[in-house]
Amino acid sequence: MTRTPPVRTPAWPGYAEVTRVTALLRTEAVGGGLLVLAAVIAIVWANSPVADGYFALRDLRIGYEPWHLELSLGAWAADGLLAVFFFLVGLELKREVVVGDLRRFSTAIVPVTAAAGGVIVPALIYLAIVGPQSSLAQGWAIPTATDIAFAVAVLALVGSHLPSPLRIFLLTLAVVDDLIAIAIIAIFYTSEIEVLPLVIAVAVIAVYGVIAQRYRALFAGRPLAAWLVLLPIGFVAWAFLHASGVHATIAGVALAFTIPVRASRRDRGEGSRRDLAQEFEHRFRPLSSGFAVPVFAFFAAGVAIGGTDGIARAVTDPVTIGIVAALVLGKPIGILLSVRLLTLVGRVRLDPALRWVDLLGVGLLAGIGFTVSLLIAELSFGEGSLHNDDAKIAIMLASVLASLLASSILLVRNRRYRRIHEAERIDDDGDGVPDVYQAPLPEKKPRPSRRGRSE
């Protein structure tokens, strides 16, 4: 008698729903939408009659003071939850360097140069506008960042038929841009360093990396193992780095760099693929886009505008003018100018699928600073400063303007590429004539013979 194989059922009733939700959270459009929604809720709440509740929630302090971890909820979001976002950025950056587009100099030089131009020119524009005031000049790094999640989400919404090299260009540019922003935070926004906690943090990160390398098959095959083993070690590294004075989000990048990308020889011999970096990115993406980044945006974007007087003050503040001009104008100018100089001086050829007008649209998308810019604004001016509030208003205004301007260009280009795609699909045989217009040839009828019989 044959046995019917047992039907596997989920471990708990909500498994299917959780799977669908996590799949949605991995899409750029959903992650960007949650980011915007959280920021809008924060702005509305912070300017409502019950605004005191928002600021009381943001400033609520929790944690263990002897370990220097008694922080406000806003600080926990900026220093703790955003480390998850930077962990994913580090994973993506390492994969690009090891097996991706940054591995080859010929493909990496264009987006790397574009990212450098997109950092230098906005910083110079900001400094030119704020003038020699040292108290305002310290915000020079605010317009240098690009929000990779927000920018890619806008591109996904408006660019369904844009050439794939354009999306790769934006992703690579944004990843390199984030790396530069991380270096800026580590170098320019670290005032005092405690040596002993820093040494302990480095040692813990090294232990984390050894365990991740040695037991990659365990962590790739059993998701719970990473939560039970690697997460506690990562938290200890984060805590000591926070105590050292270095911004704690750097811990996310440092830990990500220790995660293996390529499969080991033993795993390859067994025919299995153990790209642990890609596996972790797949697992933790919903946590970042669905919780960590929206919560940070919620606590960081809440600014009490102060009515018409507050708007008038913000509009006339050199910080606001400098950030908006640097993000909306400086980013595309820096990206296009640096790529153009590279093609002229270095004689580097762009991908044949890329057009300068497409790069202009991507350059405008890079002007969406948002997440990292909000973080740098807090590091530049501190919470409670009027310049910090004005900087946040400027970041959100510039992000909206950059999104609208980029969308207006890329939507036109997307329609053009869609028409080209449809024309190529119609003309399948490649003869230049649309096949739908080619009528079938009439059948040949039998030719009657001279005797009147059919041949």
Side-chain angles (χ1 to χ4, degrees), residues 230-264:
L230 293 182
L231 180 61
I233 300 174
F235 179 78
V236 172
W238 173 89
F240 276 105
L241 198 65
H242 182 273
S244 72
V246 178
H247 198 269
T249 53
I250 306 300
V253 182
L255 292 170
F257 283 172
T258 68
I259 301 299
V261 172
R262 288 197 178 102
S264 65

Side-chain angles (χ1 to χ4, degrees), residues 174-255:
V175 168
V176 176
D177 195 292
D178 283 339
L179 176 63
I180 297 174
I182 291 165
I184 289 174
I185 292 172
I187 296 172
F188 295 98
Y189 293 97
T190 300
S191 55
E192 297 180 0
I193 297 180
E194 297 290 337
V195 178
L196 181 59
L198 180 61
V199 172
I200 296 176
V202 172
V204 175
I205 291 171
V207 172
Y208 180 98
V210 170
I211 295 175
Q213 295 278 347
R214 178 67 180 83
Y215 300 102
R216 67 180 73 185
L218 171 67
F219 298 125
R222 299 181 180 179
L224 188 61
W227 294 95
L228 296 178
V229 178
L230 293 182
L231 180 61
I233 300 174
F235 179 78
V236 172
W238 173 89
F240 276 105
L241 198 65
H242 182 273
S244 72
V246 178
H247 198 269
T249 53
I250 306 300
V253 182
L255 292 170

Side-chain angles (χ1 to χ4, degrees), residues 398-454:
S399 298
V400 172
L401 288 175
S403 302
L404 294 176
L405 292 173
S407 298
S408 63
I409 293 175
L410 295 177
L411 279 172
V412 174
R413 297 296 297 167
N414 189 67
R415 285 196 293 267
R416 176 176 174 81
Y417 284 115
R418 185 176 64 238
R419 288 195 296 267
I420 294 174
H421 176 73
E422 290 174 352
E424 291 176 348
R425 186 176 59 184
I426 291 173
D427 183 20
D428 288 331
D429 58 7
D431 61 357
V433 179
D435 296 336
V436 294
Y437 298 118
Q438 291 182 350
L441 295 175
E443 294 184 4
K444 269 191 173 182
K445 293 183 178 181
R447 185 177 177 183
S449 64
R450 292 179 181 178
R451 297 180 181 179
R453 292 181 301 175
S454 181

Side-chain angles (χ1 to χ4, degrees), residues 111-160:
V112 169
T113 303
V119 168
I120 295 172
V121 173
L124 293 177
I125 290 178
Y126 175 85
L127 290 174
I129 291 176
V130 301
Q133 304 179 53
S134 59
S135 60
L136 303 184
Q138 61 189 4
W140 64 271
I142 296 173
T144 62
T146 295
D147 191 310
I148 182 171
F150 204 157
V152 174
V154 174
L155 186 66
L157 289 173
V158 303
S160 57

